[in-house]
Amino acid sequence: MLHAARRLPLSGKIGLAIVLFWLMVALIGPFIAPYTPGAFVSEEVFAGSSGKFWFGSDFLGRDVLSRLLVGARFTVGLSVLAATLACATGTGLALTAAVGPRWVDELLSRAMDTMISIPGKVFALVMVAAFGSSLMLLTLIVAITYVPGNFRIARSLAVGLARLDYVEVARARGEGRLHLALVEMLPNMIRPLFADIGLRFVFIVLLLSGLSFLGLGLQPPDADLGSLVRENVSGLGEGALAVLVPALAIASLTVSVNLLIDAATQGKAR
Amino acid sequence: MSGSASAQRPTWIAPLRLIAARIGAALLTLLLVSMVIFAISGLLPGDAAQEALGQGATAGQIAALRHEMGLDQPGPVRYVRWLGGIVKGDPGTSIVANQPVSKIISERLPNTLRLAALTSMVAVPLAFLIGVFSAIARGRRLDRALNVLTLSMVALPEFLVATLAVLLFAVKLRWLPSIALVPQEPTLGEFLRAYTMPVISLAVIVVAQMARMIRAAIIAELDRPYVEMARLKGVRPGRLIFRHVLPNAIGPIVNAMALSLSYLFGGAIIVETIFSYPGLASLMVNAVTSRDMPLLQACAMIFCATYLLLVLIADTVAILANPQLRKG
Amino acid sequence: MTTPSHVDVRDLSVTVRRPDGTLLRIVDSVSFSIPRGEVLALIGESGSGKTTIALSLMGYARGGAVISGQIRVGNASLDGVGPASLAAQRGNRITYVAQSAAAAFNPSRRIIDQVIEPALIHRTAAAPAARERAIGLFRALALPTPETIGERYPHELSGGQLQRLMAAMALITKPDVVIFDEPTTALDVTTQVEVLQAFRRVFREEGATGVYVSHDLAVVAQMADHILVLNGGKVREQNSAATLIAEPQDDYTRMLMSAAQPVVQAITPPAPKAATPLLEIDGIFAGYGPIDREGRPANPVLSAVSLSIGKGAALGVIGESGSGKSTVARVVAGLLTPTAGTVSLDGEVLAPTLAERTREQLRRVQIVFQNADVALNPAHSVGEILARPLRFYHGKTGADARRRVNELLDLTRLPSSVIDRRCGELSGGQKQRVNLARALAAEPDIILCDEVTSALDTVVRGAILDLLGDLRRDLGLAYLFISHDIATVKALCDEIVVFYKGTRVEHGTSDAYAAPPYHPYTELLITSVPELRPGWLADYPYQPVAPVANVTQSSDICRFLQRCPRSRQGLCDIAAPPLRTLENGSRILCHLDTSELAH
């Protein structure tokens, strides 16, 4: 692991460091927050950076840093969960399609082609309008939104592998479908799949915070990084830190994941 | 003589058949999409009549309205009626605005089309240049720098780009208004002032996406044996890219463009909202907030149809550009 | 114009940087010269550096390799300072014919535009003149309809045609030297002869100087005046073609020559055949793609194929690519469901699909594929790969299985140290041995070998063939041995079946293939294999046959008719060929009898 990390190009190392930082924040953020995130601690709203409030105060005089530390946990946590869910479902269906009877493949592929023709944001909006956006629903909605994308990648990998001679040999030996999918195919899909999970994670972070920014995502009193941008958007005219910092936080997370995936996959391609 | 005649045999049938098949497939997908959208938004939740009348309505009033809206019919019947309406250009009445959905949409659609067209005009040439140059310079410093740049740009949240644009142009420089209100008969200056920031915000994301896909498409070709052969024939880099590689990469390149441009419709939601731009995407957000299902469904269908149309156009171009498909 | 055009190479070395940063010399101090109008062959196995040397003559190196040494071609030179001077000659004074023309032609441009492109970019001729010269070359290369063939796209032409068109492209600028990089390796043997004949003729007419890269000594013997034998980037021997083949000096050259003519230690034919053969295939029809209402697949491959193999016997199946020989193995293994016909094992009819066969039936028939690179799962270690069938068929686990895995490695002459390695770390020959060991783990009665030696270098191929022979003798295995190479099949098998376009055209004992009479297709196949003597090609009697006109495309008519040099009008184009038995015991599908086919 450490050896592989050392061989990453500079952009990859930076990406890895920032990703680790955010995972850390998601784990321990609430415990190191200097103030209670909901408490009104500053006299001044939209205060600038100070020794007391590193990232200033928000539109109600709350500490931006504390709210950021708690909000990051929602953004990172929900996104990791949703990305894992999306990729597990997508890959599972893809393997089913690859080793199952032809009609299963055709049915699944047709269904996924339909889903992929509905742009992600549009699909999520329709779902939110229909079902609302409780924490669990929201996670499910963004996960479902990105199942078809993962399915498409995983299926093309799996179908390519299914044609290879070593899978044919296993079939000729009389192996069952489960063995073919899990023992012969899945281990050879892991690397590209990890890259895809990372990519889905980025999309999901952007979608989740986008929904929250529109007021359709996480509902108060819970707030993820997108909600923080939304609630402080009135401070934009003054160039308030309270609106810039959470937006930059999201960007640093997504950009660093992207840099890390790119560096890691390129290293393997050579 | 006979040879030239055989070369000119009617070669348009094979591609035409292929394209017709693609059109059929796209229509089928659109039909399935409409089922999904209707199933999610029209069948399961809530009661539109209840919502329209509010909490104070009596059970009788609600039942009457339900009957009037056709909500007491079984799902498939409502679906067929709804689909029929959409095909005829009448997707129902907005519950909130109490106007025909078609009227609301026809006011907003031109705005969205205009924004998409303007952004495309900026984004497509720029993305093409970046994609081609980084592919030519593959592995060199220029390519690595462009790679990190586009990689970062695709991962930026749209509201960050828009926020930074507002901060720079409206707050610090005070060149532009932070809200894109387009007057009825704008002068060129007003037009630019209104559109600059939304176009920049959208273009940042779209250019990066498109440039990356174009680069990948060209690089996939550069690794093929015919490129080495062309080099061994003494073909110079410029001719290599434009005469040898690009004709083979047209399919993936137009596909990349279609995918990115489809983003300008359904994906512009946040940018339209931030700049209070009166387009379809922000209309859809309003429909979600107010749970205005007929309006929401119509907007969703337009976005999906646009996506399918763009992909279909890309497929058609790819078929016509490929002699193997073109000649059947 | 000033100096006589020829090639002179002194101390050529090519160095690559390995992933860990160290340098590796893949070509080491190679020197040679070629007189004007002659052809030098570079011969060696994969990794010998032959293609690298050829490309470096153009100042071109793949993957960032560094070329050093002195190269002079005509009056242009590359002196180690930089490749620029020679690069300018690329495609003009020095030209290249690639191994796979099908991949090396640009799929979206017309052939003629690509063929005359070197003349246009190097300004050696104007477009009309270049076009005229191209058509002349097409004609000299015996291409059909030379005036219009250039108007086509690559996908509309066959591999043999494309290879000749690429030669035309290489000759269009009247170069000082043409480099042929394994130009016939990807072709079927019967196509190879036609292409070699065309190359030879056009070389004579043009008086061109050439470098011919190949792994096949017999091909090289036809094309080259001088031969340079390479191994591991070093020159082992160089001499005139005739001398080198008659009196090879170097041990490595001798090894290459003996490996090119495989001989497997004679095996006593299996004991008198039992009443029921071990494996019997009867009236198989099979193909790919959706099946229509009459039960015929969209791409029919096999029609009415019957074979039988006794216990411990070895049956060879030969044919060109697309003849359906691999499909037979897939049907027997149960991977492809036939649309008609049966496969029986020991008289017991096997179910057409895998799912309906018992595990015991599956165990007794094992299949081994050609390309060990994709036949072994890269995610598993050698030990895991071999342990799986032990557990699956025999329920062996733990120490029991480990012992057996070691036995299997021993049996296939692999060191026990490979047990924890992944296949990516093994050599080609080792992979093929693991591939065989996996089949042996099932303790089968018969192994279906699908081109198991075709992807291997000559010397390794010989070793694998020896191993197959030994295994058969020691374990009493039967083989269905599929190959495109008749020499390989003759060396290993007791009986041979010849396939053409999905039908069995001949079936006889191996000995019967030593001399005529054969089926006309078998005859073409056997005579097309180049012999290891210079002048064989010059004596080669056959010319491509003009297609018979106006034949009804009936499925009954002899499928070889269009290419048959012995076809009779009014007989072969009307009636279906009968199955007849020749005097040497071979059964053939042909209208002609022993006396007509004997010479």
Side-chain angles (χ1 to χ4, degrees):
Chain A
M1 262 323 247
L2 211 65
H3 183 66
R6 206 168 294 148
R7 277 173 54 183
L8 287 175
L10 181 64
S11 63
K13 282 187 187 134
I14 296 174
L16 181 63
I18 301 178
V19 170
L20 289 177
F21 168 78
W22 282 114
L23 287 177
M24 209 59 179
V25 168
L27 283 176
I28 63 166
F31 306 111
I32 58 166
Y35 303 93
T36 316
F40 310 113
V41 289
S42 169
E43 302 286 308
E44 195 188 346
V45 298
F46 292 133
S49 174
S50 66
K52 224 172 139 196
F53 309 110
W54 289 5
F55 291 144
S57 64
D58 76 353
F59 74 116
L60 292 174
R62 293 173 295 191
D63 178 38
V64 173
L65 175 61
S66 304
R67 290 185 69 69
L68 190 75
L69 288 172
V70 177
R73 163 174 273 192
F74 278 111
T75 300
V76 175
L78 291 187
S79 302
V80 167
L81 190 65
T84 315
L85 212 62
C87 292
T89 315
T91 306
L93 291 176
L95 285 171
T96 313
V99 298
R102 189 199 291 273
W103 65 267
V104 171
D105 183 24
E106 274 169 17
L107 193 75
L108 280 171
S109 296
R110 172 59 62 198
M112 292 296 161
D113 273 356
T114 305
M115 296 278 287
I116 223 165
S117 312
I118 310 178
K121 284 197 189 107
V122 172
F123 182 78
L125 284 183
V126 175
M127 294 282 278
V128 166
F131 301 108
S133 51
S134 75
L135 212 56
M136 200 186 71
L137 272 173
L138 204 59
T139 315
L140 276 180
I141 287 171
V142 289
I144 294 172
T145 308
Y146 288 107
V147 166
N150 176 263
F151 173 85
R152 197 177 253 197
I153 303 274
R155 182 184 172 274
S156 80
L157 284 171
V159 167
L161 288 175
R163 268 191 236 115
L164 290 186
D165 288 350
Y166 61 79
V167 181
E168 290 277 88
V169 167
R171 277 207 317 131
R173 194 189 304 140
E175 299 283 5
R177 288 180 172 147
L178 203 64
H179 176 93
L180 294 181
L182 298 183
V183 181
E184 302 289 345
M185 287 155 74
L186 187 60
N188 293 299
M189 297 163 62
I190 290 293
R191 280 176 168 187
L193 277 181
F194 264 117
D196 193 60
I197 292 186
L199 214 60
R200 303 290 146 204
F201 174 80
V202 170
F203 292 151
I204 285 175
V205 169
L206 293 176
L207 179 61
L208 263 181
S209 30
L211 285 174
S212 291
F213 175 79
L214 295 170
L216 302 169
L218 228 56
Q219 298 303 318
D222 292 338
D224 66 358
L225 297 176
S227 323
L228 297 186
V229 179
R230 173 186 175 78
E231 59 190 29
N232 293 306
V233 82
S234 58
L236 186 58
E238 322 170 18
L241 278 178
V243 58
L244 259 187
V245 169
L248 286 173
I250 296 169
S252 75
L253 174 63
T254 51
V255 169
S256 58
V257 171
N258 249 2
L259 290 177
L260 176 60
I261 301 170
D262 182 67
T265 48
Q266 262 180 11
K268 276 161 203 154
R270 298 291 133 185
Chain B
M1 229 5 236
S2 66
S4 67
S6 77
Q8 284 162 15
R9 66 183 179 272
T11 52
W12 47 270
I13 297 206
L16 210 65
R17 199 173 292 157
L18 266 179
I19 292 166
R22 298 292 157 98
I23 293 175
L27 286 177
L28 175 66
T29 308
L30 190 60
L31 183 74
L32 293 172
V33 163
S34 74
M35 288 180 193
V36 173
I37 288 177
F38 189 79
I40 298 170
S41 62
L43 289 180
L44 294 168
D47 189 325
Q50 172 87 56
E51 297 224 348
L53 294 172
Q55 291 300 322
T58 65
Q61 285 173 311
I62 290 173
L65 186 61
R66 282 175 62 90
H67 182 70
E68 190 185 321
M69 293 168 78
L71 292 179
D72 51 353
Q73 303 273 337
V77 176
R78 282 160 56 202
Y79 168 71
V80 170
R81 187 177 300 167
W82 172 76
L83 190 66
I86 287 201
V87 171
K88 275 182 272 168
D90 173 26
T93 306
S94 161
I95 300 169
V96 177
N98 210 10
Q99 296 184 25
V101 168
S102 56
K103 178 161 180 282
I104 305 178
I105 285 180
S106 63
E107 284 166 9
R108 294 287 189 108
L109 189 59
N111 292 337
T112 286
L113 289 177
R114 198 176 305 125
L115 184 58
L118 283 171
T119 312
S120 313
M121 277 160 55
V122 177
V124 171
L126 204 58
F128 188 78
L129 283 179
I130 295 177
V132 170
F133 274 111
S134 41
I136 295 175
R138 164 158 65 151
R140 283 191 244 136
R141 202 168 291 159
L142 173 68
D143 176 42
R144 290 208 299 266
L146 285 173
N147 177 41
V148 170
L149 183 72
T150 53
L151 203 55
S152 308
M153 277 158 67
V154 287
L156 290 181
E158 293 104 325
F159 49 74
L160 177 68
V161 183
T163 304
L164 291 176
V166 170
L167 223 50
L168 181 67
F169 293 114
V171 179
K172 293 276 187 259
L173 299 175
R174 299 189 174 282
W175 288 352
L176 300 167
S178 63
I179 289 179
L181 286 181
V182 191
Q184 279 300 325
E185 306 242 319
T187 64
L188 184 66
E190 285 170 332
F191 189 80
L192 284 179
R193 280 163 66 88
Y195 278 96
T196 302
M197 283 197 297
V199 167
I200 287 178
S201 308
L202 283 175
V204 164
I205 313 276
V206 175
V207 165
Q209 272 179 4
M210 218 186 292
R212 292 189 68 76
M213 288 193 276
I214 290 173
R215 173 186 182 271
I218 295 178
I219 281 184
E221 289 297 319
L222 284 178
D223 286 336
R224 292 179 48 184
Y226 75 81
V227 173
E228 182 175 74
M229 187 69 226
R231 289 204 174 109
L232 291 175
K233 274 158 79 176
V235 174
R236 312 244 165 214
R239 187 183 168 93
L240 183 71
I241 292 289
F242 287 98
R243 296 293 291 275
H244 287 260
V245 171
L246 280 182
N248 287 295
I250 284 178
I253 285 177
V254 283
N255 190 44
M257 289 180 173
L259 291 180
S260 299
L261 293 184
S262 74
Y263 168 88
L264 292 178
F265 290 80
I269 288 167
I270 286 165
V271 171
E272 286 192 9
T273 308
I274 288 187
F275 296 108
S276 311
Y277 183 81
L280 272 187
S282 58
L283 182 69
M284 182 165 173
V285 174
N286 297 341
V288 176
T289 321
S290 56
R291 292 179 53 85
D292 189 346
M293 289 302 176
L295 185 57
L296 180 69
Q297 289 159 344
C299 290
M301 284 304 291
I302 290 179
F303 293 139
C304 297
T306 314
Y307 170 86
L308 286 168
L309 182 67
L310 286 168
V311 172
L312 183 64
I313 293 173
D315 274 358
T316 308
V317 173
I319 289 171
L320 295 179
N322 183 340
Q324 214 157 330
L325 297 176
R326 190 169 69 218
K327 303 192 92 184
Chain C
M1 307 293 148
T2 48
T3 46
S5 172
H6 68 280
V7 181
D8 195 43
V9 173
R10 291 278 152 258
D11 288 326
L12 172 69
S13 292
V14 181
T15 317
V16 293
R17 190 174 288 276
R18 276 188 285 219
D20 58 6
T22 56
L23 295 176
L24 175 70
R25 257 188 188 199
I26 52 175
V27 172
D28 193 7
S29 312
V30 170
S31 303
F32 56 85
S33 61
I34 313 172
R36 177 170 204 153
E38 295 200 354
V39 175
L40 172 81
L42 303 176
I43 187 156
E45 297 176 291
S46 54
S48 62
K50 53 191 191 298
T51 295
T52 311
I53 294 173
L55 288 174
S56 60
L57 293 184
M58 310 182 81
Y60 185 88
R62 286 177 180 154
V66 180
I67 303 168
S68 68
Q70 293 172 342
I71 303 171
R72 190 171 55 75
V73 175
N75 44 24
S77 72
L78 166 69
D79 46 13
V81 191
S85 57
L86 265 184
Q89 307 297 316
R90 236 182 243 168
N92 180 8
R93 309 314 316 148
I94 316 164
T95 58
Y96 183 73
V97 177
Q99 171 166 358
S100 168
F105 271 117
N106 190 325
S108 68
R109 305 180 69 206
R110 288 180 198 279
I111 291 288
I112 189 77
D113 295 335
Q114 303 191 51
V115 168
I116 64 169
E117 188 175 23
L120 300 186
I121 53 184
H122 298 292
R123 306 224 164 81
T124 61
R131 226 171 260 271
E132 205 164 306
R133 172 158 167 77
I135 291 170
L137 286 167
F138 294 165
R139 191 170 290 121
L141 286 158
L143 283 157
T145 60
E147 286 80 16
T148 55
I149 193 168
E151 298 304 313
R152 308 224 197 153
Y153 287 94
H155 74 271
E156 299 173 295
L157 298 159
S158 74
Q161 290 169 340
L162 288 171
Q163 216 65 49
R164 282 179 274 170
L165 289 163
M166 183 146 283
M169 180 162 86
L171 291 166
I172 195 89
T173 53
K174 300 186 179 148
D176 288 329
V177 57
V178 185
I179 297 165
F180 287 90
D181 188 1
E182 302 248 18
T184 61
T185 304
L187 303 176
D188 278 320
V189 65
T190 54
T191 317
Q192 170 172 278
V193 178
E194 291 172 19
V195 172
L196 289 177
Q197 281 180 316
F199 282 177
R200 223 178 109 85
R201 185 171 339 109
V202 81
F203 250 68
R204 289 271 169 79
E205 286 175 15
E206 297 278 322
T209 309
V211 173
Y212 197 99
V213 176
S214 178
H215 69 283
D216 188 338
L217 258 174
V219 165
V220 156
Q222 315 312 318
M223 302 303 291
D225 303 294
H226 290 267
I227 298 178
L228 189 152
V229 181
L230 286 159
N231 178 233
K234 290 197 173 77
V235 179
R236 297 302 292 253
E237 180 169 3
Q238 63 176 310
N239 215 329
S240 81
T243 316
L244 187 130
I245 283 165
E247 300 156 29
Q249 299 298 310
D250 190 82
D251 288 344
Y252 180 74
T253 315
R254 285 200 208 104
M255 193 164 77
L256 273 185
M257 288 179 66
S258 65
Q261 293 157 317
V263 183
V264 174
Q265 228 180 329
I267 295 162
T268 37
K273 284 176 190 169
T276 51
L278 173 67
L279 184 82
E280 188 158 32
I281 302 165
D282 190 30
I284 291 283
F285 286 77
Y288 300 92
I291 291 162
D292 69 13
R293 244 173 259 149
E294 283 147 45
R296 293 200 329 191
N299 302 311
V301 178
L302 298 179
S303 68
V305 169
S306 302
L307 303 171
S308 75
I309 304 174
K311 276 198 176 61
L315 177 72
V317 176
I318 59 169
E320 294 172 311
S321 51
S323 61
K325 55 191 192 302
S326 294
T327 308
V328 175
R330 293 175 56 83
V331 168
V332 174
L335 287 167
L336 182 71
T337 309
T339 50
T342 56
V343 178
S344 1
L345 189 64
D346 261 341
E348 183 186 358
V349 174
L350 293 178
T353 64
L354 282 168
E356 298 165 81
R357 293 189 185 177
T358 68
R359 194 169 281 200
E360 180 61 12
Q361 288 171 337
L362 293 170
R363 180 190 68 74
R364 296 178 64 189
V365 181
Q366 292 290 307
I367 187 164
V368 178
F369 286 115
Q370 165 176 14
N371 194 343
D373 285 326
V374 286
L376 301 176
N377 194 326
H380 300 165
S381 71
V382 172
E384 288 166 340
I385 287 171
L386 297 184
R388 179 62 197 171
L390 293 177
R391 181 173 173 178
F392 187 80
Y393 291 127
H394 303 291
K396 281 201 175 99
T397 52
D400 226 17
R402 241 187 327 276
R403 196 173 328 113
R404 182 70 186 134
V405 166
N406 274 310
E407 280 172 25
L408 288 166
L409 291 178
D410 224 33
L411 204 57
T412 48
R413 291 164 214 160
L414 281 165
S416 55
S417 57
V418 299
I419 201 160
D420 293 317
R421 299 233 207 117
R422 295 196 187 257
C423 312
E425 304 163 40
L426 304 181
S427 73
Q430 286 178 320
K431 282 182 212 166
Q432 202 54 283
R433 285 166 196 271
V434 175
N435 207 356
L436 272 173
R438 174 173 55 191
L440 293 174
E443 297 172 25
D445 294 333
I446 180 166
I447 299 185
L448 316 173
C449 301
D450 187 0
E451 301 261 17
V452 289
T453 57
S454 306
L456 302 173
D457 277 323
T458 334
V459 174
V460 184
R461 178 186 311 172
I464 294 282
L465 276 177
D466 283 342
L467 174 64
L468 284 168
D470 292 353
L471 289 172
R472 187 183 156 204
R473 194 172 44 240
D474 299 346
L475 306 176
L477 281 170
Y479 293 132
L480 177 67
F481 190 87
I482 294 161
S483 177
H484 65 276
D485 178 19
I486 194 156
T488 310
V489 175
K490 265 192 201 166
L492 189 72
C493 300
D494 332 310
E495 287 180 38
I496 299 175
V497 168
V498 180
F499 268 55
Y500 186 74
K501 289 194 177 168
T503 55
R504 189 186 62 166
V505 294
E506 178 159 5
H507 182 175
T509 63
S510 281
D511 301 336
Y513 289 86
Y518 323 108
H519 186 280
Y521 172 64
T522 313
E523 182 177 27
L524 180 65
L525 206 58
I526 289 177
T527 53
S528 296
V529 179
E531 287 172 21
L532 194 48
R533 67 179 167 90
W536 169 82
L537 185 66
D539 303 341
Y540 185 74
Y542 297 104
Q543 293 295 325
V545 179
V548 182
N550 303 325
V551 179
T552 43
Q553 274 315 110
S554 155
S555 58
D556 293 343
I557 284 184
C558 176
R559 298 183 179 202
F560 186 56
L561 175 63
Q562 296 290 352
R563 289 172 63 194
C564 185
R566 294 178 183 268
S567 70
R568 302 248 171 102
Q569 235 177 342
L571 176 68
C572 299
D573 53 351
I574 295 170
L579 184 67
R580 65 168 76 235
T581 306
L582 298 178
E583 278 165 18
N584 60 11
S586 293
R587 276 170 296 157
I588 65 168
L589 208 58
C590 189
H591 290 283
L592 308 179
D593 61 25
T594 304
S595 58
E596 289 166 304
L597 293 170
H599 48 269

